Amino acid sequence: MNFAYGVIAIVGVLAAIILGFIAVAPDDIIQPRMIPVEEMVVVSEPTTIVEPEPEAEPEPEAEPEPEAEPEPEAEPEPEAETSPMTLTISIPKGVGVPGCEETNECYSPYEISVAVGTTVTWINDDIAAHTVTSGNFPEHDGLFDSSIFMSGETFEITFSDAGTFDYYCFVHPWMAGTVNVE
């Protein structure tokens, strides 16, 4: 019985609202303010027209004196590159849901080979928070851990020792990658 009263009350309230809208006089409805064209002020930058000056006739050029050939200089030998190399790994959009591990696309690239001394930077291009944690889930070997970093943030580490370094995302453990340092 209470249900029936509730339905009747709701129908009554809706009917009152609808009748209220119908009963409103058209003059009571707020109209957008119209600005007459005469009141409009158009502001523009003044323009200046500059006419080009007439071109002067070119003076005849004096005949150039022959220059002595410079002696060829020994080319400097290229120096060995001493600046450390940097490589970037992307955490692509959408890898926060399982499926990227089937095609090894959770980190892009999934596996890299670098020289000792290379700095590797991971950038979070996804909308979800991620980590770069060394080891294989669930074991963290303690070599490096980015902790959670948000979309657009980066994490970097310089590899000073040779070896194979597996890593994963602690938040999304299906995400895994490998860095081979030679």
Side-chain angles (χ1 to χ4, degrees):
M1 186 89 167
N2 288 337
F3 177 74
Y5 288 127
V7 170
I8 292 172
I10 291 172
V11 169
V13 170
L14 290 174
I17 291 172
I18 291 171
L19 289 174
F21 283 131
I22 293 172
V24 172
D27 295 337
D28 294 340
I29 298 174
I30 298 173
Q31 296 292 326
R33 182 174 168 220
M34 303 298 281
I35 300 174
V37 176
E38 296 83 34
E39 290 181 24
M40 290 184 150
V41 177
V42 178
V43 179
S44 66
E45 295 291 322
T47 57
T48 306
I49 299 175
V50 178
E51 294 193 23
E53 294 181 19
E55 291 184 24
E57 289 187 29
E59 294 180 19
E61 292 184 21
E63 198 164 306
E65 293 181 23
E67 292 182 22
E69 296 251 345
E71 292 184 26
E73 293 180 22
E75 291 184 21
E77 293 185 24
E79 294 180 20
E81 198 167 313
T82 56
S83 62
M85 192 170 121
T86 302
L87 190 84
T88 301
I89 297 175
S90 170
I91 301 174
K93 291 181 182 177
V95 296
V97 292
C100 61
E101 74 281 5
E102 295 170 7
T103 55
N104 290 330
E105 294 176 340
C106 297
Y107 293 96
S108 181
Y110 159 76
E111 184 173 9
I112 61 169
S113 295
V114 298
V116 172
T118 299
T119 300
V120 177
T121 303
W122 285 264
I123 182 166
N124 185 355
D125 293 321
D126 194 14
I127 59 171
H130 293 284
T131 73
V132 175
T133 306
S134 63
N136 289 300
F137 186 79
E139 300 297 322
H140 170 44
D141 61 19
L143 296 176
F144 57 88
D145 186 8
S146 66
S147 70
I148 292 178
F149 63 111
M150 305 307 284
S151 179
E153 294 182 339
T154 61
F155 167 71
E156 69 179 33
I157 184 168
T158 301
F159 288 91
S160 54
D161 295 323
T164 298
F165 301 91
D166 294 322
Y167 61 92
Y168 64 97
C169 176
F170 189 78
V171 181
H172 310 101
W174 58 86
M175 296 174 58
T178 304
V179 177
N180 298 308
V181 182
E182 301 164 347

